[in-house]
Amino acid sequence: MRLDKFLKVSRLIKRRTLAKEVADQGRILVNGNKAKASSVVKEGDELQIRFGQKVVTARIDQLRENVRKEQTAEMYTILNEEKLDKVDPSFVDDEA
């Protein structure tokens, strides 16, 4: 499944276009590597998503095409949430 679609279906990010923008800005890592919106993710992959000054680390537990709002929490496990004091160099856009 594409990364942007997973983020939308799981409701980690509410809109697919926003998920694409976040990925294109280099703010998502999949298993430690920068990921594009079109990157393919699978069960067991670890995502690191930077939301402003917060980094959320989650593991993909299930991939589903359609899911009810109440079932979205079954799709992933939050492993860590941390607030950033400084910019993490692994999230800095190399092209800027």
Side-chain angles (χ1 to χ4, degrees):
M1 176 181 286
R2 284 175 53 112
L3 173 62
D4 58 345
K5 183 167 184 178
F6 173 80
L7 293 170
K8 181 211 177 273
V9 171
S10 67
R11 292 178 173 82
L12 279 167
I13 297 180
K14 295 192 187 220
R15 293 188 327 271
R16 192 167 177 176
T17 54
L18 182 58
K20 181 182 180 330
E21 289 173 13
V22 171
D24 290 346
Q25 292 171 0
R27 294 171 30 197
I28 301 177
L29 303 178
V30 176
N31 298 325
N33 300 311
K34 283 188 183 179
K36 295 183 179 183
S38 61
S39 299
V40 176
V41 295
K42 59 188 180 309
E43 292 179 7
D45 282 352
E46 192 172 293
L47 306 176
Q48 277 188 303
I49 308 165
R50 192 184 79 203
F51 297 104
Q53 295 299 314
K54 183 169 80 169
V55 175
V56 175
T57 304
R59 181 184 61 238
I60 299 175
D61 295 330
Q62 296 178 8
L63 295 177
R64 294 187 184 172
E65 293 293 320
N66 299 307
V67 66
R68 296 174 92 98
K69 187 176 184 179
E70 303 81 36
Q71 299 170 319
T72 58
E74 299 170 10
M75 294 183 68
Y76 60 89
T77 302
I78 299 293
L79 302 174
N80 190 23
E81 277 188 58
E82 61 183 285
K83 197 169 187 176
L84 296 177
D85 295 332
K86 299 177 184 173
V87 175
D88 185 342
S90 64
F91 285 108
V92 174
D93 190 1
D94 296 331
E95 298 173 11

Coordinates of all heavy atoms in Angstrom, one line a residue:
M1 N 0.8 -1.2 0.0 CA 0.0 0.0 0.0 C 0.9 1.2 0.0 O 1.9 1.2 0.6 CB -0.9 0.0 1.2 CG -1.8 1.2 1.4 SD -2.8 1.2 2.9 CE -4.0 0.1 2.4
R2 N 0.5 2.3 -0.7 CA 1.2 3.5 -0.7 C 1.2 4.2 0.6 O 0.2 4.1 1.4 CB 0.6 4.5 -1.8 CG 0.9 4.1 -3.2 CD 0.1 5.1 -4.1 NE 0.4 6.5 -3.8 CZ 1.0 7.3 -4.6 NH1 1.5 6.9 -5.7 NH2 1.2 8.6 -4.2
L3 N 2.3 4.9 1.0 CA 2.4 5.5 2.2 C 1.3 6.6 2.5 O 0.7 6.6 3.5 CB 3.8 6.2 2.3 CG 4.1 7.1 3.6 CD1 4.0 6.3 4.8 CD2 5.4 7.8 3.5
D4 N 1.1 7.4 1.5 CA 0.0 8.4 1.7 C -1.3 7.8 1.9 O -2.1 8.3 2.7 CB 0.0 9.5 0.5 CG -0.2 8.8 -0.9 OD1 -0.1 7.6 -1.0 OD2 -0.4 9.6 -1.8
K5 N -1.6 6.7 1.2 CA -2.9 6.1 1.4 C -3.0 5.5 2.8 O -4.1 5.6 3.5 CB -3.2 5.0 0.3 CG -4.6 4.4 0.5 CD -5.0 3.6 -0.7 CE -6.4 3.1 -0.5 NZ -6.9 2.4 -1.6
F6 N -1.9 4.8 3.3 CA -2.0 4.3 4.6 C -2.2 5.4 5.7 O -3.0 5.2 6.6 CB -0.7 3.5 4.9 CG -0.6 3.1 6.4 CD1 -1.3 2.0 6.8 CD2 0.1 3.8 7.3 CE1 -1.3 1.6 8.1 CE2 0.1 3.5 8.7 CZ -0.6 2.3 9.0
L7 N -1.5 6.5 5.5 CA -1.7 7.6 6.5 C -3.1 8.1 6.5 O -3.6 8.4 7.6 CB -0.7 8.7 6.2 CG 0.8 8.3 6.4 CD1 1.7 9.4 5.8 CD2 1.1 8.0 7.8
K8 N -3.7 8.2 5.4 CA -5.1 8.6 5.3 C -6.1 7.6 5.9 O -6.9 7.9 6.8 CB -5.5 9.0 3.9 CG -6.9 9.5 3.8 CD -7.5 9.1 2.5 CE -9.0 9.5 2.4 NZ -9.9 8.5 2.9
V9 N -6.0 6.3 5.5 CA -6.9 5.3 5.9 C -6.7 5.1 7.4 O -7.7 4.9 8.1 CB -6.6 4.0 5.1 CG1 -7.4 2.8 5.7 CG2 -7.0 4.1 3.7
S10 N -5.5 5.1 7.9 CA -5.3 4.9 9.4 C -5.6 6.1 10.2 O -5.7 6.1 11.4 CB -3.8 4.5 9.6 OG -3.0 5.6 9.3
R11 N -5.8 7.3 9.5 CA -6.1 8.5 10.1 C -5.0 9.1 11.0 O -5.2 9.9 11.9 CB -7.4 8.5 10.9 CG -8.7 8.3 10.0 CD -9.9 8.2 10.8 NE -11.1 8.2 10.0 CZ -11.6 7.1 9.4 NH1 -11.0 6.0 9.4 NH2 -12.7 7.2 8.7
L12 N -3.8 8.7 10.7 CA -2.6 9.3 11.3 C -2.5 10.7 10.7 O -2.1 11.7 11.4 CB -1.3 8.5 11.0 CG -1.1 7.3 11.9 CD1 0.0 6.5 11.3 CD2 -0.8 7.7 13.3
I13 N -2.9 10.9 9.5 CA -3.0 12.2 8.8 C -4.4 12.2 8.1 O -4.7 11.2 7.4 CB -1.9 12.5 7.8 CG1 -0.5 12.5 8.6 CG2 -2.1 13.8 7.1 CD1 0.7 12.8 7.7
K14 N -5.2 13.2 8.3 CA -6.6 13.1 7.9 C -6.8 13.2 6.4 O -7.8 12.6 5.9 CB -7.4 14.2 8.6 CG -7.4 13.9 10.1 CD -8.4 14.8 10.8 CE -8.2 14.6 12.3 NZ -9.3 14.5 13.1
R15 N -6.0 13.8 5.7 CA -6.2 14.0 4.2 C -5.0 13.4 3.5 O -3.8 13.7 3.8 CB -6.5 15.4 3.8 CG -7.8 15.9 4.4 CD -8.1 17.3 3.9 NE -7.0 18.2 3.6 CZ -6.5 19.1 4.5 NH1 -6.9 19.1 5.7 NH2 -5.5 19.9 4.1
R16 N -5.3 12.7 2.4 CA -4.2 12.2 1.6 C -3.3 13.2 0.9 O -2.1 13.1 0.8 CB -4.8 11.3 0.5 CG -3.8 10.4 -0.2 CD -4.5 9.3 -1.1 NE -3.5 8.5 -1.8 CZ -3.8 7.5 -2.5 NH1 -5.1 7.1 -2.6 NH2 -2.9 6.8 -3.1
T17 N -3.9 14.4 0.5 CA -3.1 15.4 0.0 C -2.1 16.0 1.0 O -1.0 16.3 0.7 CB -3.9 16.6 -0.6 OG1 -4.8 17.0 0.4 CG2 -4.7 16.1 -1.8
L18 N -2.6 16.1 2.2 CA -1.7 16.6 3.3 C -0.6 15.5 3.6 O 0.6 15.9 3.8 CB -2.5 16.8 4.6 CG -1.7 17.4 5.8 CD1 -1.0 18.7 5.4 CD2 -2.6 17.6 7.0
A19 N -0.9 14.2 3.6 CA 0.1 13.2 3.7 C 1.1 13.3 2.7 O 2.3 13.1 2.9 CB -0.6 11.8 3.7
K20 N 0.7 13.5 1.4 CA 1.6 13.7 0.3 C 2.6 14.9 0.5 O 3.8 14.7 0.3 CB 0.9 13.8 -1.0 CG 1.8 13.9 -2.2 CD 1.0 14.1 -3.5 CE 1.8 14.3 -4.7 NZ 3.1 14.8 -4.7
E21 N 2.0 16.0 1.0 CA 2.8 17.2 1.2 C 3.9 16.9 2.3 O 5.0 17.3 2.2 CB 1.9 18.4 1.6 CG 1.1 18.9 0.5 CD 0.1 20.0 0.9 OE1 0.2 20.4 2.1 OE2 -0.8 20.3 0.1
V22 N 3.4 16.3 3.4 CA 4.4 16.0 4.5 C 5.5 15.1 4.0 O 6.7 15.3 4.3 CB 3.6 15.4 5.7 CG1 4.5 14.9 6.8 CG2 2.6 16.4 6.3
A23 N 5.1 14.1 3.3 CA 6.2 13.1 2.7 C 7.1 13.9 1.8 O 8.3 13.7 1.9 CB 5.5 12.0 2.1
D24 N 6.6 14.7 0.9 CA 7.4 15.4 -0.1 C 8.3 16.4 0.6 O 9.4 16.7 0.1 CB 6.5 16.1 -1.1 CG 5.9 15.1 -2.0 OD1 6.2 13.9 -2.1 OD2 4.9 15.6 -2.7
Q25 N 8.0 16.8 1.8 CA 8.9 17.8 2.6 C 10.0 17.0 3.3 O 10.8 17.6 4.0 CB 8.0 18.6 3.5 CG 7.1 19.6 2.9 CD 6.1 20.2 3.8 OE1 6.2 19.9 5.0 NE2 5.3 21.1 3.3
G26 N 10.0 15.7 3.2 CA 11.0 14.9 3.9 C 10.8 14.7 5.4 O 11.7 14.5 6.1
R27 N 9.5 14.8 5.8 CA 9.2 14.7 7.3 C 8.7 13.4 7.7 O 8.3 13.2 8.8 CB 8.2 15.8 7.6 CG 8.8 17.2 7.4 CD 7.8 18.4 7.6 NE 6.7 18.1 8.4 CZ 5.6 18.9 8.4 NH1 5.5 19.9 7.5 NH2 4.6 18.7 9.2
I28 N 8.8 12.4 6.8 CA 8.4 11.0 7.1 C 9.6 10.1 6.8 O 10.2 10.1 5.7 CB 7.2 10.6 6.4 CG1 6.0 11.5 6.7 CG2 6.8 9.1 6.7 CD1 4.8 11.2 5.9
L29 N 9.9 9.2 7.8 CA 10.9 8.2 7.6 C 10.2 6.8 7.7 O 9.4 6.6 8.6 CB 12.0 8.3 8.7 CG 12.8 9.6 8.8 CD1 13.8 9.5 10.0 CD2 13.5 10.0 7.5
V30 N 10.6 5.9 6.8 CA 10.1 4.6 6.9 C 11.3 3.7 7.1 O 12.2 3.7 6.3 CB 9.4 4.1 5.6 CG1 8.9 2.7 5.7 CG2 8.1 5.0 5.4
N31 N 11.3 3.0 8.3 CA 12.5 2.2 8.7 C 13.8 3.0 8.6 O 14.8 2.4 8.2 CB 12.6 0.9 7.8 CG 11.3 0.0 8.0 OD1 10.8 0.0 9.1 ND2 10.9 -0.6 6.9
G32 N 13.7 4.3 9.0 CA 14.9 5.1 9.1 C 15.3 5.8 7.8 O 16.3 6.5 7.7
N33 N 14.6 5.5 6.7 CA 14.9 6.2 5.4 C 13.8 7.1 5.0 O 12.6 6.9 5.2 CB 15.0 5.1 4.3 CG 16.1 4.1 4.6 OD1 17.2 4.5 4.9 ND2 15.8 2.8 4.5
K34 N 14.2 8.3 4.4 CA 13.2 9.2 3.9 C 12.3 8.6 2.9 O 12.8 7.8 2.1 CB 13.9 10.4 3.3 CG 14.5 11.4 4.3 CD 14.9 12.7 3.6 CE 15.6 13.6 4.6 NZ 16.1 14.8 4.0
A35 N 11.0 8.9 3.0 CA 10.0 8.2 2.2 C 9.2 9.2 1.4 O 8.9 10.3 1.9 CB 9.1 7.4 3.0
K36 N 8.9 8.9 0.2 CA 8.0 9.7 -0.6 C 6.6 9.2 -0.4 O 6.4 8.1 0.1 CB 8.4 9.6 -2.1 CG 9.8 10.1 -2.4 CD 10.0 10.0 -3.9 CE 11.4 10.6 -4.2 NZ 11.7 10.6 -5.6
A37 N 5.6 10.0 -0.9 CA 4.2 9.6 -0.7 C 3.9 8.3 -1.5 O 3.1 7.5 -1.0 CB 3.3 10.7 -1.3
S38 N 4.7 8.0 -2.5 CA 4.4 6.8 -3.3 C 5.2 5.6 -2.8 O 5.0 4.5 -3.3 CB 4.9 7.0 -4.8 OG 6.2 7.3 -4.8
S39 N 5.9 5.7 -1.7 CA 6.7 4.6 -1.1 C 5.7 3.5 -0.7 O 4.6 3.8 -0.2 CB 7.5 5.0 0.1 OG 8.4 6.0 -0.3
V40 N 6.1 2.3 -0.9 CA 5.2 1.1 -0.5 C 5.6 0.8 0.9 O 6.7 0.5 1.2 CB 5.4 -0.1 -1.5 CG1 4.6 -1.3 -1.0 CG2 5.0 0.3 -2.9
V41 N 4.5 0.7 1.7 CA 4.7 0.2 3.1 C 4.1 -1.1 3.3 O 3.2 -1.5 2.6 CB 4.1 1.3 4.1 CG1 4.9 2.6 4.1 CG2 2.7 1.5 3.9
K42 N 4.6 -1.8 4.3 CA 4.0 -3.2 4.6 C 3.9 -3.3 6.1 O 4.5 -2.5 6.9 CB 4.9 -4.3 4.0 CG 6.3 -4.3 4.5 CD 7.2 -5.2 3.6 CE 8.6 -5.3 4.1 NZ 9.3 -4.0 4.2
E43 N 3.2 -4.4 6.5 CA 3.1 -4.6 8.0 C 4.5 -4.8 8.6 O 5.3 -5.5 8.0 CB 2.2 -5.9 8.2 CG 0.8 -5.7 7.8 CD -0.1 -6.9 8.0 OE1 0.4 -7.9 8.5 OE2 -1.3 -6.8 7.5
G44 N 4.7 -4.3 9.8 CA 6.0 -4.4 10.5 C 6.9 -3.2 10.2 O 7.8 -3.0 10.9
D45 N 6.6 -2.3 9.2 CA 7.4 -1.2 8.9 C 7.2 -0.2 10.1 O 6.2 -0.1 10.7 CB 7.0 -0.5 7.6 CG 7.5 -1.2 6.4 OD1 8.4 -2.1 6.6 OD2 7.1 -0.8 5.3
E46 N 8.3 0.6 10.4 CA 8.3 1.6 11.4 C 8.3 3.0 10.8 O 9.2 3.3 9.9 CB 9.5 1.4 12.3 CG 9.4 2.2 13.6 CD 10.6 1.9 14.5 OE1 10.6 0.7 15.0 OE2 11.4 2.7 14.7
L47 N 7.3 3.8 11.1 CA 7.2 5.2 10.6 C 7.6 6.2 11.6 O 7.3 6.0 12.8 CB 5.8 5.5 10.2 CG 5.1 4.5 9.2 CD1 3.6 5.0 9.1 CD2 5.8 4.5 7.9
Q48 N 8.4 7.2 11.2 CA 8.6 8.4 12.0 C 8.1 9.6 11.3 O 8.5 9.8 10.2 CB 10.1 8.6 12.3 CG 10.7 7.7 13.3 CD 12.2 8.1 13.6 OE1 13.0 8.1 12.7 NE2 12.4 8.5 14.8
I49 N 7.1 10.2 11.9 CA 6.5 11.4 11.3 C 6.7 12.6 12.2 O 6.4 12.6 13.4 CB 4.9 11.1 11.2 CG1 4.7 9.8 10.5 CG2 4.3 12.2 10.4 CD1 3.3 9.3 10.6
R50 N 7.2 13.7 11.5 CA 7.4 14.9 12.3 C 6.2 15.8 12.0 O 5.9 16.2 10.9 CB 8.7 15.6 11.8 CG 9.0 16.8 12.8 CD 10.2 17.5 12.3 NE 9.7 18.5 11.3 CZ 10.5 19.0 10.3 NH1 11.8 18.7 10.3 NH2 10.0 19.8 9.5
F51 N 5.5 16.1 13.1 CA 4.4 17.1 13.1 C 4.9 18.3 13.9 O 4.9 18.3 15.1 CB 3.2 16.5 13.9 CG 2.6 15.3 13.3 CD1 2.8 14.1 13.9 CD2 1.7 15.4 12.2 CE1 2.2 12.9 13.3 CE2 1.2 14.3 11.7 CZ 1.4 13.0 12.2
G52 N 5.3 19.4 13.2 CA 5.8 20.6 13.8 C 7.0 20.3 14.7 O 8.0 19.8 14.3
Q53 N 6.8 20.4 16.0 CA 7.9 20.2 17.0 C 7.7 18.8 17.7 O 8.3 18.6 18.8 CB 7.9 21.3 18.0 CG 8.3 22.7 17.5 CD 9.7 22.7 16.8 OE1 10.6 22.2 17.4 NE2 9.8 23.2 15.6
K54 N 7.0 17.9 17.1 CA 6.7 16.6 17.7 C 7.1 15.5 16.7 O 6.8 15.7 15.5 CB 5.3 16.5 18.1 CG 4.9 15.2 18.8 CD 3.5 15.3 19.5 CE 2.5 15.1 18.4 NZ 1.1 14.9 19.0
V55 N 7.7 14.5 17.2 CA 8.0 13.3 16.3 C 7.2 12.1 16.9 O 7.4 11.8 18.1 CB 9.5 13.0 16.2 CG1 9.7 11.7 15.5 CG2 10.2 14.1 15.6
V56 N 6.4 11.5 16.0 CA 5.7 10.3 16.4 C 6.3 9.1 15.7 O 6.5 9.1 14.5 CB 4.2 10.4 16.0 CG1 3.4 9.2 16.3 CG2 3.5 11.6 16.7
T57 N 6.6 8.0 16.5 CA 7.1 6.8 15.9 C 6.0 5.8 16.0 O 5.4 5.5 17.1 CB 8.3 6.3 16.6 OG1 9.3 7.4 16.6 CG2 8.9 5.1 16.0
A58 N 5.6 5.1 14.9 CA 4.5 4.1 14.9 C 5.0 2.9 14.1 O 5.7 3.0 13.1 CB 3.3 4.7 14.3
R59 N 4.4 1.8 14.5 CA 4.7 0.5 13.7 C 3.4 0.1 13.0 O 2.3 0.2 13.6 CB 5.1 -0.6 14.7 CG 5.4 -1.9 14.0 CD 5.7 -3.1 14.9 NE 4.6 -3.3 15.8 CZ 4.7 -3.2 17.1 NH1 5.8 -2.9 17.7 NH2 3.6 -3.5 17.9
I60 N 3.5 -0.2 11.8 CA 2.3 -0.7 11.0 C 1.9 -2.1 11.4 O 2.8 -3.0 11.3 CB 2.5 -0.6 9.5 CG1 2.8 0.9 9.1 CG2 1.3 -1.1 8.7 CD1 3.2 1.1 7.7
D61 N 0.7 -2.3 11.9 CA 0.3 -3.6 12.3 C -0.6 -4.3 11.3 O -0.6 -5.5 11.1 CB -0.5 -3.6 13.7 CG 0.4 -3.1 14.8 OD1 1.6 -3.4 14.7 OD2 -0.1 -2.5 15.7
Q62 N -1.4 -3.5 10.6 CA -2.3 -4.0 9.6 C -2.5 -3.1 8.4 O -2.4 -1.9 8.6 CB -3.8 -4.2 10.2 CG -3.9 -5.2 11.3 CD -5.3 -5.2 11.8 OE1 -6.2 -4.6 11.2 NE2 -5.5 -6.0 12.9
L63 N -2.7 -3.6 7.2 CA -3.0 -2.8 6.1 C -4.4 -3.2 5.6 O -4.7 -4.3 5.4 CB -2.0 -3.1 4.9 CG -0.5 -2.8 5.2 CD1 0.3 -3.2 4.0 CD2 -0.4 -1.3 5.4
R64 N -5.2 -2.2 5.5 CA -6.6 -2.3 5.1 C -6.9 -1.2 4.1 O -6.5 -0.1 4.3 CB -7.6 -2.3 6.2 CG -7.4 -3.4 7.2 CD -8.6 -3.3 8.2 NE -8.5 -4.2 9.3 CZ -9.2 -4.3 10.3 NH1 -10.2 -3.3 10.5 NH2 -9.1 -5.2 11.3
E65 N -7.7 -1.6 3.1 CA -8.2 -0.6 2.1 C -9.2 0.3 2.7 O -9.2 1.5 2.4 CB -8.7 -1.3 0.8 CG -7.6 -2.0 0.1 CD -6.6 -1.2 -0.6 OE1 -6.9 -0.1 -1.1 OE2 -5.4 -1.5 -0.5
N66 N -10.2 -0.2 3.4 CA -11.3 0.6 4.0 C -11.4 0.1 5.4 O -11.3 -1.1 5.7 CB -12.6 0.3 3.3 CG -12.5 0.7 1.8 OD1 -12.1 1.8 1.5 ND2 -12.8 -0.2 0.9
V67 N -11.6 1.1 6.3 CA -11.7 0.8 7.7 C -12.6 1.8 8.4 O -12.7 3.0 8.0 CB -10.3 0.7 8.4 CG1 -9.7 2.1 8.4 CG2 -10.3 0.2 9.7
R68 N -13.4 1.3 9.4 CA -14.2 2.3 10.1 C -13.3 3.0 11.1 O -12.3 2.6 11.5 CB -15.2 1.5 10.9 CG -16.2 0.7 10.1 CD -17.1 -0.2 11.0 NE -18.3 0.5 11.3 CZ -19.5 0.3 10.7 NH1 -19.5 -0.5 9.7 NH2 -20.5 1.0 11.2
K69 N -13.8 4.2 11.5 CA -13.1 5.1 12.3 C -12.7 4.4 13.6 O -11.6 4.6 14.2 CB -13.9 6.3 12.7 CG -13.2 7.4 13.4 CD -14.1 8.6 13.6 CE -13.4 9.7 14.3 NZ -14.2 10.9 14.4
E70 N -13.6 3.6 14.2 CA -13.3 2.9 15.4 C -12.2 1.8 15.3 O -11.6 1.4 16.3 CB -14.6 2.2 16.0 CG -15.8 3.1 16.1 CD -16.6 3.4 14.8 OE1 -16.7 2.5 14.0 OE2 -17.0 4.5 14.7
Q71 N -11.9 1.4 14.1 CA -11.0 0.3 13.9 C -9.6 0.8 13.5 O -8.7 0.0 13.4 CB -11.5 -0.7 12.8 CG -12.8 -1.3 13.2 CD -13.4 -2.1 12.0 OE1 -13.3 -1.6 10.8 NE2 -13.9 -3.3 12.2
T72 N -9.4 2.1 13.3 CA -8.2 2.6 12.8 C -7.0 2.4 13.8 O -5.9 2.2 13.4 CB -8.2 4.1 12.6 OG1 -8.6 4.8 13.7 CG2 -9.2 4.4 11.4
A73 N -7.3 2.4 15.1 CA -6.2 2.1 16.1 C -5.6 0.7 16.0 O -4.5 0.5 16.5 CB -6.8 2.4 17.5
E74 N -6.3 -0.2 15.4 CA -5.8 -1.6 15.2 C -4.8 -1.6 14.1 O -4.0 -2.6 14.0 CB -6.9 -2.5 14.8 CG -8.0 -2.6 15.9 CD -9.2 -3.4 15.4 OE1 -9.2 -4.0 14.3 OE2 -10.2 -3.4 16.1
M75 N -4.7 -0.6 13.2 CA -3.8 -0.6 12.1 C -2.3 -0.2 12.5 O -1.4 -0.5 11.7 CB -4.3 0.4 11.0 CG -5.6 0.0 10.4 SD -6.1 1.1 9.1 CE -4.9 0.8 7.9
Y76 N -2.1 0.4 13.6 CA -0.8 0.8 14.0 C -0.6 0.8 15.5 O -1.6 0.8 16.2 CB -0.4 2.2 13.4 CG -1.4 3.3 13.9 CD1 -1.1 4.0 15.1 CD2 -2.5 3.6 13.2 CE1 -2.0 5.0 15.5 CE2 -3.4 4.6 13.6 CZ -3.1 5.3 14.8 OH -3.9 6.3 15.2
T77 N 0.6 0.8 16.0 CA 0.9 1.0 17.4 C 1.9 2.1 17.5 O 2.9 2.2 16.8 CB 1.6 -0.3 17.9 OG1 0.8 -1.4 17.7 CG2 1.9 -0.2 19.4
I78 N 1.5 3.1 18.4 CA 2.4 4.2 18.7 C 3.5 3.7 19.6 O 3.3 3.2 20.7 CB 1.7 5.4 19.4 CG1 0.5 5.9 18.5 CG2 2.6 6.5 19.7 CD1 1.0 6.6 17.2
L79 N 4.8 3.8 19.1 CA 5.9 3.3 19.8 C 6.5 4.4 20.7 O 7.0 4.2 21.8 CB 7.0 2.8 18.9 CG 6.5 1.6 18.0 CD1 7.6 1.3 17.0 CD2 6.1 0.4 18.8
N80 N 6.5 5.6 20.2 CA 7.1 6.8 20.9 C 6.6 8.1 20.4 O 6.2 8.2 19.2 CB 8.6 6.7 20.6 CG 9.4 7.7 21.5 OD1 8.9 8.1 22.6 ND2 10.6 8.0 21.1
E81 N 6.4 9.0 21.3 CA 6.1 10.4 20.9 C 7.1 11.3 21.7 O 7.2 11.2 22.9 CB 4.7 10.8 21.3 CG 3.6 10.3 20.4 CD 2.2 10.9 20.8 OE1 2.1 12.1 20.9 OE2 1.3 10.1 21.0
E82 N 7.7 12.2 21.0 CA 8.7 13.0 21.6 C 8.6 14.4 21.1 O 8.3 14.7 19.9 CB 10.1 12.5 21.6 CG 10.7 12.4 20.2 CD 12.1 11.8 20.2 OE1 13.0 12.5 20.6 OE2 12.2 10.6 19.8
K83 N 8.8 15.4 22.0 CA 8.8 16.8 21.6 C 10.2 17.2 21.3 O 11.1 16.8 22.0 CB 8.3 17.6 22.8 CG 7.8 19.0 22.4 CD 7.1 19.7 23.5 CE 6.5 21.0 23.0 NZ 5.7 21.6 24.0
L84 N 10.4 17.9 20.2 CA 11.7 18.3 19.7 C 12.0 19.7 20.2 O 11.2 20.6 20.1 CB 11.8 18.4 18.2 CG 11.6 17.0 17.5 CD1 11.6 17.3 16.0 CD2 12.7 16.1 17.9
D85 N 13.2 19.9 20.8 CA 13.7 21.2 21.2 C 14.4 21.9 20.1 O 14.3 23.0 19.8 CB 14.6 21.1 22.4 CG 13.9 20.6 23.7 OD1 12.6 20.8 23.8 OD2 14.5 20.0 24.5
K86 N 15.1 21.0 19.3 CA 15.9 21.5 18.2 C 15.5 20.7 17.0 O 14.8 19.7 17.1 CB 17.4 21.3 18.4 CG 17.9 22.0 19.6 CD 19.4 21.6 19.8 CE 19.9 22.3 21.1 NZ 21.3 21.9 21.4
V87 N 15.9 21.1 15.8 CA 15.6 20.4 14.6 C 16.4 19.2 14.5 O 17.6 19.2 14.6 CB 15.8 21.3 13.3 CG1 15.6 20.6 12.0 CG2 14.9 22.5 13.4
D88 N 15.8 18.0 14.2 CA 16.5 16.8 14.1 C 17.1 16.7 12.7 O 16.4 16.9 11.7 CB 15.5 15.6 14.2 CG 16.1 14.2 14.2 OD1 17.3 14.1 13.8 OD2 15.5 13.3 14.6
P89 N 18.4 16.5 12.6 CA 19.1 16.6 11.3 C 18.6 15.5 10.3 O 18.7 15.7 9.1 CB 20.6 16.4 11.6 CG 20.7 16.0 13.0 CD 19.4 16.3 13.7
S90 N 18.1 14.4 10.8 CA 17.6 13.4 9.9 C 16.3 13.8 9.2 O 15.9 13.3 8.2 CB 17.3 12.1 10.6 OG 16.3 12.3 11.6
F91 N 15.7 14.9 9.6 CA 14.5 15.4 9.0 C 14.7 16.7 8.2 O 13.8 17.3 7.7 CB 13.4 15.7 10.1 CG 12.7 14.5 10.6 CD1 13.0 14.0 11.9 CD2 11.9 13.7 9.8 CE1 12.4 12.9 12.4 CE2 11.3 12.6 10.3 CZ 11.5 12.2 11.6
V92 N 15.9 17.1 8.1 CA 16.2 18.3 7.4 C 16.2 18.0 5.9 O 16.8 17.1 5.4 CB 17.6 18.9 7.8 CG1 18.0 20.1 6.9 CG2 17.6 19.3 9.2
D93 N 15.5 18.9 5.1 CA 15.4 18.7 3.7 C 16.8 19.0 3.0 O 17.3 20.1 3.1 CB 14.3 19.6 3.1 CG 14.0 19.2 1.7 OD1 14.6 18.3 1.1 OD2 13.2 19.9 1.1
D94 N 17.4 18.0 2.4 CA 18.7 18.2 1.8 C 18.7 19.1 0.6 O 19.7 19.7 0.2 CB 19.3 16.8 1.3 CG 19.5 15.9 2.5 OD1 19.8 16.3 3.6 OD2 19.4 14.6 2.2
E95 N 17.5 19.3 0.0 CA 17.5 20.1 -1.2 C 17.3 21.6 -0.9 O 17.3 22.4 -1.8 CB 16.3 19.6 -2.1 CG 16.5 18.2 -2.6 CD 15.3 17.7 -3.3 OE1 14.4 18.4 -3.6 OE2 15.2 16.5 -3.5
A96 N 17.1 21.9 0.3 CA 16.8 23.4 0.7 C 18.1 24.1 0.7 O 19.2 23.7 0.9 CB 16.1 23.4 2.0

